[in-house]
Coordinates of all heavy atoms in Angstrom, one line a residue:
M1 N -12.0 -6.7 0.0 CA -10.6 -7.3 0.0 C -10.6 -8.7 0.5 O -11.0 -8.9 1.7 CB -9.6 -6.4 0.8 CG -9.4 -5.1 0.2 SD -8.2 -4.1 1.2 CE -6.9 -3.8 0.1
P2 N -10.3 -9.7 -0.3 CA -10.3 -11.1 0.3 C -9.2 -11.2 1.3 O -8.1 -10.7 1.2 CB -10.0 -11.9 -1.0 CG -9.5 -10.9 -2.0 CD -10.0 -9.6 -1.7
R3 N -9.5 -12.0 2.3 CA -8.6 -12.3 3.4 C -7.9 -13.6 3.0 O -8.6 -14.6 2.8 CB -9.2 -12.4 4.7 CG -9.7 -11.1 5.3 CD -10.6 -11.3 6.5 NE -10.0 -12.0 7.6 CZ -9.3 -11.4 8.6 NH1 -9.1 -10.0 8.6 NH2 -8.8 -12.0 9.5
I4 N -6.6 -13.6 3.0 CA -5.9 -14.8 2.5 C -4.9 -15.1 3.7 O -4.2 -14.2 4.2 CB -5.1 -14.6 1.2 CG1 -6.2 -14.4 0.1 CG2 -4.2 -15.8 0.9 CD1 -5.5 -14.0 -1.2
T5 N -4.8 -16.4 4.0 CA -3.9 -16.9 5.1 C -2.7 -17.6 4.4 O -2.9 -18.5 3.6 CB -4.5 -17.9 6.1 OG1 -5.7 -17.2 6.7 CG2 -3.5 -18.3 7.1
L6 N -1.5 -17.0 4.7 CA -0.3 -17.6 4.2 C 0.5 -18.3 5.4 O 0.6 -17.6 6.4 CB 0.6 -16.7 3.4 CG -0.1 -16.0 2.2 CD1 -0.4 -14.5 2.4 CD2 0.8 -16.2 1.0
I7 N 0.9 -19.5 5.2 CA 1.6 -20.2 6.3 C 2.9 -20.6 5.9 O 3.2 -21.4 4.9 CB 0.8 -21.4 6.7 CG1 -0.7 -21.1 7.1 CG2 1.4 -22.1 7.9 CD1 -1.6 -22.2 7.4
E8 N 3.9 -20.1 6.6 CA 5.3 -20.4 6.3 C 5.6 -21.8 6.6 O 4.8 -22.4 7.4 CB 6.3 -19.5 7.1 CG 6.3 -18.1 6.8 CD 7.2 -17.3 7.8 OE1 8.4 -17.5 7.7 OE2 6.6 -16.5 8.6
F9 N 6.7 -22.4 6.1 CA 7.0 -23.8 6.4 C 7.2 -24.1 7.9 O 6.8 -25.1 8.4 CB 8.2 -24.2 5.6 CG 8.5 -25.7 5.7 CD1 7.9 -26.6 4.9 CD2 9.6 -26.2 6.6 CE1 8.1 -28.0 5.0 CE2 9.8 -27.6 6.7 CZ 9.1 -28.4 5.9
N10 N 7.6 -23.0 8.6 CA 7.8 -23.2 10.0 C 6.5 -23.0 10.8 O 6.6 -23.1 12.1 CB 8.9 -22.3 10.5 CG 8.5 -20.8 10.4 OD1 7.3 -20.5 10.1 ND2 9.5 -19.9 10.6
G11 N 5.4 -22.8 10.2 CA 4.1 -22.8 10.8 C 3.7 -21.3 11.1 O 2.5 -21.1 11.5
N12 N 4.5 -20.3 10.9 CA 4.1 -18.9 11.1 C 3.0 -18.6 10.1 O 3.1 -18.7 9.0 CB 5.3 -18.0 11.0 CG 6.2 -18.1 12.1 OD1 5.9 -18.6 13.2 ND2 7.4 -17.5 11.9
E13 N 1.9 -18.0 10.7 CA 0.7 -17.6 9.9 C 0.7 -16.1 9.6 O 1.0 -15.3 10.5 CB -0.6 -18.1 10.5 CG -0.8 -19.6 10.5 CD -2.2 -19.9 10.8 OE1 -3.2 -19.0 10.8 OE2 -2.5 -21.1 11.3
H14 N 0.3 -15.8 8.4 CA 0.1 -14.4 8.1 C -1.2 -14.2 7.4 O -1.4 -14.9 6.4 CB 1.2 -13.9 7.1 CG 2.6 -14.2 7.6 ND1 3.4 -13.2 8.3 CD2 3.4 -15.3 7.6 CE1 4.5 -13.8 8.6 NE2 4.6 -15.0 8.1
V15 N -2.1 -13.5 8.0 CA -3.4 -13.2 7.3 C -3.3 -11.8 6.8 O -3.0 -10.8 7.4 CB -4.6 -13.3 8.3 CG1 -5.9 -13.0 7.7 CG2 -4.7 -14.6 9.0
I16 N -3.6 -11.8 5.4 CA -3.4 -10.5 4.7 C -4.8 -10.1 4.1 O -5.6 -11.0 3.8 CB -2.3 -10.5 3.6 CG1 -2.7 -11.5 2.5 CG2 -1.0 -10.9 4.2 CD1 -1.8 -11.4 1.3
E17 N -5.0 -8.9 3.9 CA -6.1 -8.3 3.2 C -5.6 -8.0 1.8 O -4.8 -7.1 1.6 CB -6.6 -7.0 3.8 CG -7.0 -7.1 5.3 CD -8.4 -7.5 5.5 OE1 -9.2 -7.4 4.4 OE2 -8.7 -7.9 6.6
A18 N -5.9 -8.9 0.9 CA -5.3 -8.8 -0.4 C -5.9 -7.9 -1.3 O -7.2 -7.7 -1.3 CB -5.3 -10.3 -1.0
E19 N -5.2 -7.4 -2.3 CA -5.7 -6.4 -3.2 C -6.1 -7.1 -4.5 O -5.3 -7.8 -5.1 CB -4.6 -5.3 -3.5 CG -5.2 -4.2 -4.3 CD -4.2 -3.0 -4.4 OE1 -3.4 -2.8 -3.5 OE2 -4.2 -2.3 -5.4
V20 N -7.3 -7.0 -4.9 CA -7.9 -7.7 -6.1 C -7.2 -7.1 -7.2 O -7.0 -5.9 -7.4 CB -9.4 -7.5 -6.1 CG1 -9.9 -8.0 -7.5 CG2 -10.1 -8.3 -5.0
G21 N -6.8 -8.0 -8.2 CA -6.2 -7.6 -9.4 C -4.7 -7.6 -9.4 O -4.1 -7.6 -10.5
Q22 N -4.1 -7.6 -8.2 CA -2.7 -7.8 -8.0 C -2.5 -9.3 -7.9 O -3.3 -10.1 -7.5 CB -2.2 -7.1 -6.7 CG -2.2 -5.7 -6.8 CD -0.9 -5.1 -7.4 OE1 -0.2 -5.8 -8.1 NE2 -0.7 -3.8 -7.1
T23 N -1.2 -9.8 -8.2 CA -1.0 -11.2 -8.1 C -0.9 -11.6 -6.6 O -0.6 -10.7 -5.7 CB 0.3 -11.6 -8.8 OG1 1.5 -10.9 -8.1 CG2 0.3 -11.2 -10.3
L24 N -1.0 -12.9 -6.3 CA -0.8 -13.3 -4.9 C 0.6 -13.1 -4.5 O 0.9 -12.7 -3.4 CB -1.1 -14.9 -4.9 CG -1.0 -15.5 -3.6 CD1 -1.8 -14.9 -2.5 CD2 -1.3 -17.0 -3.7
M25 N 1.6 -13.2 -5.4 CA 3.0 -13.0 -5.1 C 3.1 -11.5 -4.7 O 3.7 -11.3 -3.6 CB 3.9 -13.3 -6.3 CG 5.3 -13.0 -6.1 SD 5.8 -11.2 -6.4 CE 5.9 -11.2 -8.2
Q26 N 2.6 -10.5 -5.4 CA 2.8 -9.2 -5.1 C 2.1 -8.8 -3.8 O 2.7 -8.1 -3.0 CB 2.2 -8.3 -6.2 CG 2.6 -6.8 -6.1 CD 4.1 -6.6 -6.2 OE1 4.7 -7.0 -7.2 NE2 4.7 -6.0 -5.2
N27 N 1.0 -9.4 -3.5 CA 0.3 -9.2 -2.2 C 1.1 -9.7 -1.1 O 1.2 -9.0 0.0 CB -1.1 -9.8 -2.3 CG -2.2 -8.9 -2.8 OD1 -2.6 -8.0 -2.2 ND2 -2.6 -9.2 -4.0
A28 N 1.8 -10.8 -1.3 CA 2.6 -11.4 -0.2 C 3.8 -10.5 0.0 O 4.2 -10.2 1.2 CB 3.0 -12.8 -0.5
M29 N 4.4 -10.0 -1.1 CA 5.6 -9.1 -0.9 C 5.2 -7.8 -0.2 O 5.9 -7.3 0.6 CB 6.2 -8.9 -2.3 CG 6.6 -10.1 -3.1 SD 8.1 -10.9 -2.4 CE 9.3 -9.8 -3.1
D30 N 4.0 -7.2 -0.7 CA 3.6 -6.0 -0.1 C 3.3 -6.1 1.4 O 3.4 -5.1 2.1 CB 2.3 -5.5 -0.8 CG 2.6 -5.1 -2.3 OD1 3.8 -4.9 -2.7 OD2 1.6 -4.8 -3.0
N31 N 3.0 -7.3 1.8 CA 2.7 -7.5 3.2 C 3.9 -8.1 4.0 O 3.7 -8.6 5.1 CB 1.4 -8.4 3.4 CG 0.1 -7.6 3.1 OD1 -0.4 -6.9 4.0 ND2 -0.3 -7.6 1.8
M32 N 5.0 -8.1 3.3 CA 6.3 -8.6 3.9 C 6.1 -10.0 4.5 O 6.6 -10.3 5.6 CB 6.8 -7.6 4.9 CG 7.3 -6.3 4.2 SD 7.9 -5.1 5.3 CE 6.5 -4.5 6.1
V33 N 5.5 -10.9 3.7 CA 5.3 -12.2 4.1 C 6.7 -13.0 3.8 O 7.0 -13.1 2.6 CB 4.1 -13.0 3.4 CG1 4.1 -14.4 3.8 CG2 2.8 -12.3 3.9
P34 N 7.4 -13.6 4.7 CA 8.6 -14.4 4.3 C 8.2 -15.6 3.7 O 7.1 -16.2 3.9 CB 9.2 -14.6 5.7 CG 8.5 -13.7 6.7 CD 7.2 -13.5 6.1
G35 N 9.0 -16.1 2.8 CA 8.8 -17.4 2.2 C 8.3 -17.4 0.8 O 8.1 -18.3 0.1
I36 N 8.2 -16.0 0.3 CA 8.1 -15.9 -1.2 C 9.3 -15.0 -1.7 O 9.3 -13.9 -1.2 CB 6.8 -15.2 -1.5 CG1 5.6 -16.0 -1.0 CG2 6.7 -14.8 -3.0 CD1 4.6 -16.5 -2.0
D37 N 10.2 -15.7 -2.4 CA 11.4 -14.9 -2.8 C 11.2 -14.0 -4.1 O 11.6 -12.9 -4.1 CB 12.5 -15.9 -3.1 CG 13.0 -16.6 -1.7 OD1 12.6 -16.0 -0.7 OD2 13.5 -17.7 -1.8
A38 N 10.5 -14.6 -5.0 CA 10.1 -13.9 -6.3 C 11.3 -13.3 -7.0 O 11.3 -12.1 -7.3 CB 9.0 -12.9 -6.0
D39 N 12.4 -14.0 -7.1 CA 13.6 -13.5 -7.7 C 13.4 -12.9 -9.1 O 14.2 -11.9 -9.4 CB 14.7 -14.6 -7.8 CG 15.1 -15.1 -6.4 OD1 14.9 -14.3 -5.4 OD2 15.6 -16.2 -6.3
C40 N 12.5 -13.3 -9.9 CA 12.4 -12.8 -11.2 C 11.4 -11.7 -11.3 O 11.1 -11.1 -12.4 CB 12.1 -13.9 -12.2 SG 10.3 -14.4 -12.1
G41 N 10.8 -11.3 -10.2 CA 9.8 -10.1 -10.1 C 8.5 -10.5 -10.8 O 7.8 -9.5 -11.1
G42 N 8.2 -11.7 -11.0 CA 6.9 -12.0 -11.5 C 6.8 -12.4 -13.0 O 5.8 -12.6 -13.6
A43 N 8.0 -12.7 -13.6 CA 8.1 -13.0 -15.0 C 7.9 -14.5 -15.2 O 8.1 -14.9 -16.4 CB 9.4 -12.6 -15.6
C44 N 7.6 -15.2 -14.2 CA 7.5 -16.7 -14.4 C 8.7 -17.3 -14.9 O 8.7 -18.3 -15.7 CB 6.3 -17.0 -15.3 SG 5.6 -18.7 -14.9
A45 N 9.9 -16.9 -14.3 CA 11.2 -17.4 -14.9 C 12.0 -18.0 -13.8 O 13.2 -18.3 -14.0 CB 11.9 -16.3 -15.6
C46 N 11.6 -18.0 -12.5 CA 12.5 -18.4 -11.4 C 11.9 -19.5 -10.6 O 12.6 -20.3 -10.0 CB 12.9 -17.2 -10.5 SG 11.5 -16.6 -9.5
G47 N 10.6 -19.6 -10.4 CA 10.0 -20.6 -9.6 C 10.1 -20.4 -8.1 O 9.7 -21.2 -7.3
T48 N 10.6 -19.3 -7.6 CA 10.8 -19.0 -6.2 C 9.6 -18.3 -5.6 O 9.8 -17.7 -4.5 CB 12.1 -18.2 -6.0 OG1 12.0 -16.9 -6.6 CG2 13.3 -18.9 -6.5
C49 N 8.5 -18.3 -6.2 CA 7.2 -17.8 -5.6 C 6.3 -19.0 -5.5 O 5.1 -18.8 -5.4 CB 6.6 -16.8 -6.5 SG 6.1 -17.4 -8.1
H50 N 6.9 -20.2 -5.4 CA 6.1 -21.5 -5.3 C 5.3 -21.4 -4.1 O 5.7 -21.0 -3.0 CB 7.2 -22.6 -5.2 CG 6.6 -24.0 -5.3 ND1 7.2 -25.1 -4.8 CD2 5.3 -24.5 -5.6 CE1 6.4 -26.1 -4.9 NE2 5.3 -25.8 -5.4
C51 N 4.0 -22.0 -4.2 CA 3.2 -22.1 -3.0 C 2.3 -23.3 -3.2 O 2.2 -23.9 -4.3 CB 2.4 -20.8 -2.7 SG 1.2 -20.4 -4.1
Y52 N 1.5 -23.7 -2.1 CA 0.5 -24.8 -2.2 C -0.8 -24.2 -1.8 O -1.0 -23.6 -0.8 CB 0.9 -25.9 -1.3 CG 2.3 -26.4 -1.4 CD1 3.3 -26.1 -0.6 CD2 2.6 -27.3 -2.5 CE1 4.6 -26.5 -0.7 CE2 3.9 -27.7 -2.6 CZ 4.9 -27.4 -1.8 OH 6.2 -27.8 -1.9
I53 N -1.8 -24.4 -2.7 CA -3.1 -23.9 -2.4 C -3.8 -25.0 -1.7 O -4.0 -26.1 -2.2 CB -3.9 -23.5 -3.7 CG1 -3.1 -22.5 -4.5 CG2 -5.3 -22.9 -3.4 CD1 -2.8 -21.2 -3.9
E54 N -4.3 -24.7 -0.5 CA -5.0 -25.8 0.4 C -6.4 -26.0 0.0 O -7.1 -25.0 -0.4 CB -4.8 -25.4 1.8 CG -3.4 -25.5 2.3 CD -2.8 -26.9 2.2 OE1 -3.3 -27.8 3.0 OE2 -1.8 -27.0 1.5
G55 N -6.9 -27.2 0.2 CA -8.3 -27.5 0.2 C -8.8 -27.3 -1.2 O -8.2 -27.6 -2.2
A56 N -10.2 -27.0 -1.3 CA -10.8 -26.9 -2.6 C -10.7 -25.5 -3.2 O -11.4 -25.2 -4.2 CB -12.3 -27.3 -2.4
A57 N -9.7 -24.7 -2.7 CA -9.6 -23.4 -3.2 C -9.1 -23.3 -4.5 O -9.1 -22.1 -5.1 CB -8.8 -22.5 -2.2
S58 N -8.5 -24.3 -5.1 CA -7.8 -24.2 -6.4 C -8.7 -23.7 -7.5 O -8.3 -23.0 -8.4 CB -7.2 -25.5 -6.8 OG -8.1 -26.5 -6.8
A59 N -10.0 -23.9 -7.4 CA -11.0 -23.4 -8.5 C -10.9 -21.9 -8.5 O -11.1 -21.3 -9.6 CB -12.4 -23.9 -8.2
A60 N -10.8 -21.3 -7.3 CA -10.8 -19.9 -7.3 C -9.5 -19.2 -7.9 O -9.5 -18.0 -8.2 CB -11.0 -19.4 -5.8
T61 N -8.5 -20.0 -8.0 CA -7.2 -19.4 -8.4 C -6.9 -19.6 -9.8 O -5.9 -19.3 -10.3 CB -6.0 -20.1 -7.5 OG1 -6.0 -21.5 -7.8 CG2 -6.2 -19.8 -6.1
G62 N -7.8 -20.3 -10.6 CA -7.7 -20.5 -12.0 C -6.8 -21.6 -12.4 O -6.3 -22.4 -11.4
E63 N -6.6 -21.8 -13.6 CA -5.8 -22.9 -14.1 C -4.3 -22.6 -14.2 O -3.9 -21.4 -14.4 CB -6.3 -23.3 -15.5 CG -7.7 -23.7 -15.6 CD -7.9 -25.1 -15.0 OE1 -7.1 -26.0 -15.2 OE2 -9.0 -25.2 -14.3
V64 N -3.5 -23.6 -14.1 CA -2.0 -23.5 -14.4 C -1.8 -23.2 -15.8 O -2.3 -24.0 -16.7 CB -1.3 -24.7 -13.9 CG1 0.2 -24.7 -14.3 CG2 -1.5 -25.0 -12.4
N65 N -1.1 -22.2 -16.2 CA -0.8 -21.9 -17.6 C 0.4 -22.6 -18.1 O 1.1 -23.2 -17.3 CB -0.8 -20.3 -17.8 CG 0.4 -19.7 -17.2 OD1 1.6 -20.2 -17.2 ND2 0.2 -18.6 -16.4
A66 N 0.7 -22.6 -19.4 CA 1.7 -23.4 -19.9 C 3.1 -23.0 -19.4 O 3.9 -23.9 -19.1 CB 1.7 -23.3 -21.5
L67 N 3.4 -21.8 -19.3 CA 4.7 -21.4 -18.8 C 4.9 -21.8 -17.4 O 5.9 -22.2 -16.9 CB 4.9 -19.8 -19.0 CG 6.2 -19.2 -18.7 CD1 7.3 -19.9 -19.5 CD2 6.2 -17.7 -19.0
E68 N 3.8 -21.6 -16.6 CA 3.9 -21.9 -15.2 C 4.1 -23.4 -15.0 O 4.9 -23.8 -14.2 CB 2.5 -21.5 -14.5 CG 2.4 -21.9 -13.0 CD 1.1 -21.4 -12.5 OE1 0.2 -21.0 -13.2 OE2 0.8 -21.6 -11.3
E69 N 3.4 -24.2 -15.9 CA 3.6 -25.7 -15.8 C 5.1 -26.0 -16.1 O 5.6 -26.9 -15.4 CB 2.7 -26.3 -16.9 CG 2.8 -27.8 -17.1 CD 2.4 -28.5 -15.8 OE1 1.4 -28.1 -15.1 OE2 3.1 -29.6 -15.5
S70 N 5.7 -25.4 -17.0 CA 7.0 -25.7 -17.3 C 8.0 -25.3 -16.2 O 9.0 -26.0 -15.8 CB 7.5 -25.0 -18.6 OG 7.7 -23.6 -18.5
M71 N 7.7 -24.2 -15.5 CA 8.5 -23.8 -14.3 C 8.3 -24.8 -13.1 O 9.2 -25.2 -12.4 CB 8.2 -22.4 -13.9 CG 8.8 -21.3 -14.8 SD 10.5 -21.5 -15.1 CE 11.1 -21.3 -13.5
L72 N 7.0 -25.1 -12.9 CA 6.7 -26.0 -11.8 C 7.4 -27.4 -12.1 O 7.7 -28.1 -11.0 CB 5.2 -26.2 -11.7 CG 4.4 -25.0 -11.0 CD1 2.9 -25.3 -11.1 CD2 4.8 -24.9 -9.5
G73 N 7.5 -27.8 -13.3 CA 8.1 -29.1 -13.6 C 9.5 -29.2 -13.1 O 10.1 -30.3 -13.0
M74 N 10.2 -28.0 -12.8 CA 11.6 -28.0 -12.4 C 11.7 -28.1 -10.9 O 12.7 -28.1 -10.3 CB 12.3 -26.9 -12.9 CG 12.5 -26.9 -14.4 SD 13.7 -25.6 -15.0 CE 12.5 -24.4 -15.6
R75 N 10.5 -28.0 -10.2 CA 10.5 -28.0 -8.7 C 10.4 -29.5 -8.1 O 9.4 -30.1 -8.3 CB 9.3 -27.2 -8.2 CG 9.4 -25.7 -8.5 CD 10.4 -25.0 -7.7 NE 10.5 -25.2 -6.3 CZ 10.5 -24.3 -5.4 NH1 10.7 -23.0 -5.8 NH2 10.6 -24.6 -4.1
P76 N 11.5 -29.9 -7.5 CA 11.4 -31.2 -6.9 C 10.4 -31.4 -5.8 O 9.9 -32.5 -5.5 CB 12.8 -31.5 -6.3 CG 13.4 -30.1 -6.2 CD 12.7 -29.2 -7.2
D77 N 10.0 -30.3 -5.2 CA 8.9 -30.3 -4.2 C 7.5 -30.0 -4.7 O 6.7 -29.7 -3.9 CB 9.3 -29.3 -3.0 CG 9.6 -27.9 -3.6 OD1 9.5 -27.7 -4.8 OD2 9.8 -26.9 -2.7
R78 N 7.4 -30.2 -5.9 CA 6.0 -30.0 -6.6 C 5.0 -31.0 -6.0 O 5.4 -32.1 -5.9 CB 6.1 -30.1 -8.1 CG 4.7 -29.9 -8.7 CD 4.7 -29.9 -10.2 NE 3.5 -29.5 -10.7 CZ 3.2 -29.4 -12.0 NH1 4.1 -29.6 -12.9 NH2 2.0 -28.9 -12.4
E79 N 3.8 -30.5 -5.7 CA 2.7 -31.3 -5.3 C 1.5 -31.0 -6.2 O 1.5 -30.1 -7.0 CB 2.4 -31.2 -3.8 CG 3.6 -31.5 -2.9 CD 3.3 -31.4 -1.4 OE1 2.1 -31.1 -1.1 OE2 4.2 -31.5 -0.6
A80 N 0.5 -31.8 -6.0 CA -0.7 -31.7 -6.9 C -1.3 -30.3 -6.8 O -1.9 -29.8 -7.7 CB -1.8 -32.7 -6.6
N81 N -1.2 -29.6 -5.6 CA -1.8 -28.4 -5.4 C -0.7 -27.2 -5.5 O -1.0 -26.1 -5.1 CB -2.4 -28.3 -4.0 CG -1.5 -28.6 -2.9 OD1 -0.4 -29.0 -3.1 ND2 -1.9 -28.2 -1.7
S82 N 0.4 -27.5 -6.2 CA 1.4 -26.4 -6.3 C 1.0 -25.4 -7.4 O 0.3 -25.7 -8.4 CB 2.7 -27.1 -6.9 OG 3.5 -27.8 -5.9
R83 N 1.4 -24.1 -7.1 CA 1.2 -23.0 -8.0 C 2.4 -22.1 -7.8 O 3.1 -22.1 -6.9 CB -0.1 -22.3 -7.6 CG -1.4 -23.0 -7.9 CD -1.7 -23.4 -9.4 NE -1.6 -22.2 -10.3 CZ -2.6 -21.4 -10.7 NH1 -3.8 -21.7 -10.1 NH2 -2.4 -20.4 -11.5
L84 N 2.5 -21.2 -8.9 CA 3.4 -20.1 -8.8 C 2.6 -18.9 -8.4 O 1.7 -18.5 -9.2 CB 4.2 -19.9 -10.0 CG 5.2 -21.0 -10.4 CD1 5.9 -20.8 -11.7 CD2 6.2 -21.3 -9.2
S85 N 2.9 -18.3 -7.3 CA 2.0 -17.2 -6.8 C 2.0 -16.0 -7.8 O 1.1 -15.2 -7.7 CB 2.3 -16.8 -5.4 OG 3.7 -16.5 -5.3
C86 N 3.0 -15.9 -8.6 CA 3.0 -14.7 -9.5 C 2.1 -14.9 -10.7 O 1.8 -13.9 -11.4 CB 4.4 -14.4 -10.0 SG 5.1 -15.6 -11.2
Q87 N 1.5 -16.1 -10.8 CA 0.7 -16.4 -11.9 C -0.8 -16.4 -11.4 O -1.7 -16.8 -12.2 CB 1.0 -17.7 -12.6 CG 2.5 -17.7 -13.2 CD 2.6 -16.5 -14.2 OE1 1.9 -16.5 -15.2 NE2 3.5 -15.6 -13.9
I88 N -1.1 -16.0 -10.2 CA -2.4 -16.0 -9.7 C -2.9 -14.6 -9.4 O -2.3 -13.9 -8.6 CB -2.5 -16.8 -8.4 CG1 -2.1 -18.3 -8.6 CG2 -3.9 -16.7 -7.8 CD1 -2.0 -19.1 -7.3
D89 N -3.9 -14.1 -10.2 CA -4.4 -12.8 -9.9 C -5.4 -12.9 -8.8 O -6.4 -13.7 -9.0 CB -5.0 -12.3 -11.2 CG -4.0 -11.9 -12.2 OD1 -2.9 -11.4 -11.8 OD2 -4.3 -12.0 -13.5
V90 N -5.3 -12.2 -7.8 CA -6.2 -12.3 -6.7 C -7.6 -11.8 -7.1 O -7.7 -10.8 -7.8 CB -5.7 -11.4 -5.5 CG1 -6.8 -11.3 -4.4 CG2 -4.5 -12.1 -4.9
N91 N -8.6 -12.6 -6.7 CA -10.0 -12.2 -7.0 C -10.8 -12.4 -5.7 O -10.4 -13.1 -4.8 CB -10.5 -13.0 -8.2 CG -10.6 -14.5 -7.9 OD1 -11.4 -15.0 -7.2 ND2 -9.6 -15.2 -8.5
D92 N -12.1 -11.9 -5.7 CA -12.9 -12.0 -4.5 C -13.2 -13.4 -4.1 O -13.5 -13.7 -2.9 CB -14.2 -11.2 -4.7 CG -13.9 -9.7 -4.7 OD1 -13.1 -9.3 -3.8 OD2 -14.5 -8.9 -5.5
D93 N -13.2 -14.3 -5.1 CA -13.6 -15.7 -4.8 C -12.4 -16.4 -3.9 O -12.6 -17.5 -3.4 CB -13.7 -16.6 -6.0 CG -15.0 -16.2 -6.7 OD1 -15.9 -15.6 -6.1 OD2 -15.1 -16.5 -8.0
M94 N -11.3 -15.7 -3.8 CA -10.2 -16.3 -3.0 C -10.3 -15.9 -1.6 O -9.4 -16.3 -0.8 CB -8.9 -15.8 -3.6 CG -8.6 -16.4 -5.0 SD -7.1 -15.7 -5.8 CE -5.8 -16.1 -4.6
D95 N -11.4 -15.2 -1.2 CA -11.5 -14.9 0.3 C -11.6 -16.2 1.1 O -12.3 -17.1 0.8 CB -12.8 -14.1 0.5 CG -13.0 -13.6 1.9 OD1 -12.0 -13.0 2.4 OD2 -14.1 -13.8 2.5
G96 N -10.7 -16.2 2.1 CA -10.7 -17.3 3.1 C -9.7 -18.5 2.6 O -9.6 -19.4 3.4
I97 N -9.1 -18.3 1.5 CA -8.2 -19.5 1.2 C -6.9 -19.5 2.1 O -6.5 -18.5 2.6 CB -7.8 -19.5 -0.3 CG1 -6.8 -18.4 -0.7 CG2 -9.0 -19.3 -1.2 CD1 -6.1 -18.6 -2.0
V98 N -6.3 -20.7 2.1 CA -5.1 -20.9 2.8 C -4.0 -21.3 1.9 O -4.2 -22.2 1.0 CB -5.3 -22.0 3.9 CG1 -4.0 -22.3 4.6 CG2 -6.4 -21.6 5.0
V99 N -2.9 -20.7 2.0 CA -1.8 -20.9 1.1 C -0.5 -21.3 1.9 O -0.1 -20.6 2.9 CB -1.4 -19.7 0.3 CG1 -0.2 -19.9 -0.6 CG2 -2.6 -19.2 -0.5
R100 N 0.1 -22.5 1.7 CA 1.2 -22.9 2.3 C 2.5 -22.6 1.5 O 2.5 -22.7 0.3 CB 1.1 -24.4 2.7 CG 0.1 -24.7 3.8 CD 0.2 -26.1 4.3 NE -0.8 -26.3 5.3 CZ -0.6 -26.0 6.6 NH1 0.5 -25.6 7.0 NH2 -1.6 -26.1 7.4
L101 N 3.6 -22.3 2.2 CA 4.8 -22.0 1.5 C 5.9 -23.1 1.8 O 5.9 -23.7 2.8 CB 5.3 -20.6 2.0 CG 4.3 -19.5 1.9 CD1 4.8 -18.2 2.5 CD2 4.0 -19.2 0.4
P102 N 6.7 -23.3 0.7 CA 7.6 -24.5 0.8 C 8.8 -24.2 1.7 O 9.3 -23.1 1.9 CB 7.9 -24.8 -0.7 CG 7.8 -23.5 -1.2 CD 6.7 -22.7 -0.6
E103 N 9.4 -25.3 2.1 CA 10.7 -25.2 2.9 C 11.8 -24.6 2.2 O 12.5 -23.8 2.8 CB 11.1 -26.7 3.3 CG 12.3 -26.7 4.2 CD 12.6 -28.1 4.6 OE1 12.2 -29.1 4.0 OE2 13.4 -28.3 5.6
Y104 N 11.9 -24.8 0.9 CA 13.0 -24.3 0.0 C 13.1 -22.8 0.1 O 14.1 -22.2 0.0 CB 12.7 -24.7 -1.4 CG 13.8 -24.2 -2.4 CD1 15.0 -24.7 -2.5 CD2 13.4 -23.1 -3.2 CE1 16.0 -24.1 -3.3 CE2 14.3 -22.6 -4.2 CZ 15.6 -23.1 -4.2 OH 16.5 -22.5 -5.1
Q105 N 11.9 -22.1 0.3 CA 11.9 -20.6 0.3 C 11.9 -20.0 1.7 O 11.6 -18.8 1.9 CB 10.7 -20.1 -0.4 CG 10.8 -20.4 -1.9 CD 9.5 -20.5 -2.7 OE1 9.4 -21.1 -3.7 NE2 8.4 -19.9 -2.2
M106 N 12.3 -20.8 2.7 CA 12.4 -20.3 4.1 C 13.5 -19.2 4.2 O 14.5 -19.4 3.6 CB 12.6 -21.4 5.1 CG 11.4 -22.1 5.4 SD 11.6 -23.2 6.9 CE 11.8 -22.0 8.2
Ligands
LIG201 FE1 9.6 -15.8 -10.5 FE2 7.1 -16.2 -9.9 S1 8.3 -14.6 -9.3 S2 8.3 -17.4 -11.2

């Protein structure tokens, strides 16, 4: 199980043992990590599962898909490392990655 660190905007850190094959969003919800709202339940229709993948870890999380790109385009707080966590399927290569959560979802 890859260990993933999620850091809330206020600095609170949560290290989770993530389940491979589940989305990063679902793993965060299952571990009751605040800062991921996921209002649409993972349908890529709300943008409230926004997160930032730190460092060089983005290669392990795959590419932004077209629907995700359109949702991210509506986020004023989008950065180069922005992702929607419901569009990332956790895999073993994600062990050790750090994910920051935006202020908007506090
Ligand atoms: Fe709604 Fe990810 S949960 S876009």
Side-chain angles (χ1 to χ4, degrees):
M1 291 180 121
R3 289 168 61 90
I4 297 174
T5 301
L6 297 112
I7 305 175
E8 295 177 67
F9 186 78
N10 64 11
N12 286 345
E13 284 192 23
H14 307 265
V15 179
I16 66 170
E17 304 273 345
E19 190 169 332
V20 171
Q22 292 273 18
T23 65
L24 179 58
M25 176 276 279
Q26 192 62 55
N27 271 288
M29 302 290 276
D30 290 348
N31 285 276
M32 293 182 283
V33 176
I36 300 245
D37 296 335
D39 291 339
C40 76
C44 202
C46 70
T48 63
C49 63
H50 183 202
C51 66
Y52 306 104
I53 309 295
E54 293 294 297
S58 56
T61 60
E63 299 289 321
V64 175
N65 65 51
L67 187 55
E68 180 181 4
E69 176 64 36
S70 67
M71 288 304 303
L72 281 171
M74 290 191 262
R75 294 290 309 225
D77 53 353
R78 181 180 188 177
E79 295 180 12
N81 60 345
S82 285
R83 292 297 307 270
L84 294 180
S85 57
C86 73
Q87 299 302 300
I88 299 173
D89 289 326
V90 170
N91 61 74
D92 286 321
D93 291 341
M94 291 172 61
D95 186 47
I97 73 166
V98 175
V99 178
R100 291 190 179 274
L101 303 173
E103 181 176 19
Y104 175 78
Q105 288 156 207
M106 277 190 70

